[in-house]
Amino acid sequence: MSYQVNEKGYYGDFGGAYIPEMLYPNVEELRKSYLEITNKPSFKEEFDQLLKDYVGRPSPLYFAKRLSEKHNTKVYLKREDLNHTGAHKVNNTIGQILVAKRLGKNRIIAETGAGQHGVATATVCALMGIQCVVYMGEIDIKRQAPNVARMKMLGAEVIPAKSGSKTLKDATNEAIRDWINNPVDTHYIIGSAIGPHPYPDMVTRFQSIISEEIKWQLKEKEGRENPDYVVACIGGGSNAAGTYYHFLDESEVGIIAVEAAGKGVHSGESAATSQLGNEGIIHGCKTLLMQTPDGQITEPYSISAGLDYPGVGPLHSHLYKSGRGEFYSVTDDDAMTAGLELSQLEGIIPAIESSHALAIFNDKKFKPEDIVVISLSGRGDKDLNTYIDYFKL
Ligand SMILES: Cc1ncc(COP(=O)(O)O)c(C=O)c1O
């Protein structure tokens, strides 16, 4: 079975490019050129140099001793939280801004949920001196205020999305609307492994630096490249796609995906897409999504803005349907508790999104000799107010 995208942009039954006619020239231009551009030695050189000197890569692979003792297994954390701007998102925005420049675009738009992708986009636009517009749901603007301030400080315009659940899905709708109106000069930097082909593949390739590093780092520390499990939280699925990428064909490596169950999978307030969703089309691709029987998208809910999305990327739908990935969902309460646990056992305050991955130990028991690599996708600075309110700190 292949876990790579095929020529038509499909992972098994999922993917493709379902787009309005107005966007066809843009998406087609990108589809035709993304591999040619990104495979050029001059592109790779600039990308690698920025990842090293600007982002601070390689991010450490940290053996979490006290967390390992607590859960009686060997836990390594891939420290994407230590990247410049505080999450994995910047790996992708660096890649995409370099593509946009080569396509001659002079205006960037983006959507954001937790604000991390918005900050990472505003950052690379400042770096390159390019105009930046970020769409963000009105609710997310309130719960991720520090990131909104950062985007503004970096010179980006933040436009609130006021429709629907006023979260990530609605921000994405607004960004697509903008792109339709500005098809020539604007590049849309999608922030997850979602959207029409070639976005899921392009984003996955930029994020695959995560698993590329895990391989040599683990070899140095444990004498072998492959862990027993890789674990990541899934919103649209970009940190997960990057964490899994170089292990997809290594059948001895277990792939674990953690979604947000919100107040409980069947509470009506959840974002556990693989369990609640079925096949449909969202934001340009065919994938699993939460919808009513007549195909209206169901409003998702999660305490974490970055996981509050009713779909998952097509690679993940394929991993779910083919059985290659094990999918779990974690409630708000369990994620918050896991975030507090990491803070107090290891001195690392995680993003609430990453706390979902850390809550895997409630659902899955690992063997003492297992090596479990968890993607610590981001740091918790942006979430301090939510942690304070939740734990009455
Ligand atoms: C820290 C962090 N982790 C995870 C996510 C979820 O996104 P993805 O599934 O694309 O990795 C986000 C999204 O904003 C995030 O900020």
Side-chain angles (χ1 to χ4, degrees), residues 86-89 112-117 168 191-193 233-240 305-307 351-354 377-379 382:
H88 65 295
K89 296 286 182 185
T112 196
Q116 284 303 133
H117 173 59
L168 181 55
S192 193
C233 68
I234 297 213
S238 68
N239 89 92
L307 305 186
I352 299 176
E353 290 79 13
S354 320
S377 55
R379 66 177 89 124
K382 68 183 178 59

Side-chain angles (χ1 to χ4, degrees), residues 65-365:
K65 186 163 174 287
R66 294 201 339 121
L67 191 68
S68 298
E69 279 164 11
K70 168 103 196 264
H71 297 293
N72 198 24
T73 191
K74 284 177 109 168
V75 185
Y76 281 88
L77 302 176
K78 182 59 175 157
R79 300 288 310 274
E80 295 301 297
D81 60 314
L82 293 178
N83 292 343
H84 178 45
T85 71
H88 65 295
K89 296 286 182 185
V90 71
N91 304 325
N92 167 49
T93 59
I94 297 252
Q96 285 205 46
I97 199 86
L98 296 181
V99 170
K101 255 183 30 177
R102 282 156 175 81
L103 291 174
K105 307 289 179 179
N106 56 24
R107 180 173 177 269
I108 295 293
I109 56 171
E111 84 298 330
T112 196
Q116 284 303 133
H117 173 59
V119 168
T121 304
T123 299
V124 296
C125 286
L127 180 69
M128 301 293 170
I130 296 181
Q131 185 193 351
C132 179
V133 176
V134 179
Y135 291 92
M136 187 167 188
E138 216 169 32
I139 289 187
D140 293 338
I141 286 182
K142 284 198 192 104
R143 63 181 161 174
Q144 306 281 230
N147 274 345
V148 177
R150 289 165 83 197
M151 285 184 262
K152 289 184 177 165
M153 178 105 187
L154 292 160
E157 184 185 357
V158 181
I159 301 184
K162 299 181 178 183
S163 60
S165 56
K166 304 182 180 63
T167 59
L168 181 55
K169 152 179 84 62
D170 315 288
T172 309
N173 289 339
E174 294 298 332
I176 291 175
R177 224 164 272 149
D178 180 313
W179 208 22
I180 290 174
N181 289 326
N182 301 284
V184 179
D185 65 335
T186 298
H187 174 69
Y188 177 16
I189 300 193
I190 294 184
S192 193
I194 52 170
H197 179 64
Y199 277 100
D201 185 47
M202 181 169 65
V203 175
T204 297
R205 284 167 187 261
F206 290 144
Q207 293 292 358
S208 71
I209 184 70
I210 300 174
S211 46
E212 192 182 312
E213 287 174 3
I214 292 172
K215 279 201 162 237
W216 63 257
Q217 290 173 319
L218 205 59
K219 177 89 183 163
E220 267 179 23
K221 288 175 197 297
E222 294 281 347
R224 59 166 156 129
E225 289 191 336
N226 288 352
D228 296 290
Y229 295 95
V230 280
V231 183
C233 68
I234 297 213
S238 68
N239 89 92
T243 304
Y244 306 157
Y245 189 78
H246 289 282
F247 302 114
L248 287 169
D249 296 323
E250 311 277 352
S251 55
E252 75 269 26
V253 182
I255 285 178
I256 298 183
V258 185
E259 295 179 324
K263 295 188 176 160
V265 174
H266 299 293
S267 65
E269 289 180 90
S270 172
T273 307
S274 64
Q275 285 183 59
L276 296 174
N278 43 42
E279 205 172 298
I281 289 167
I282 184 168
H283 299 140
C285 71
K286 191 197 278 183
T287 193
L288 293 174
L289 65 114
M290 292 162 43
Q291 55 188 319
T292 61
D294 52 358
Q296 293 302 312
I297 291 169
T298 311
E299 300 296 349
Y301 163 81
S302 164
I303 194 167
S304 98
L307 305 186
D308 200 347
Y309 186 69
V312 285
L315 166 64
H316 302 296
S317 295
H318 181 47
L319 293 176
Y320 178 74
K321 197 169 165 191
S322 66
R324 174 70 182 96
E326 279 178 66
F327 281 66
Y328 294 89
S329 55
V330 160
T331 61
D332 289 355
D333 290 339
D334 286 348
M336 295 302 272
T337 304
L340 189 66
E341 178 184 86
L342 186 75
S343 306
Q344 300 189 351
L345 282 179
E346 298 287 349
I348 300 170
I349 301 175
I352 299 176
E353 290 79 13
S354 320
S355 297
H356 284 72
L358 293 160
I360 186 64
F361 299 108
N362 294 331
D363 291 309
K364 170 121 187 148
K365 291 283 162 267

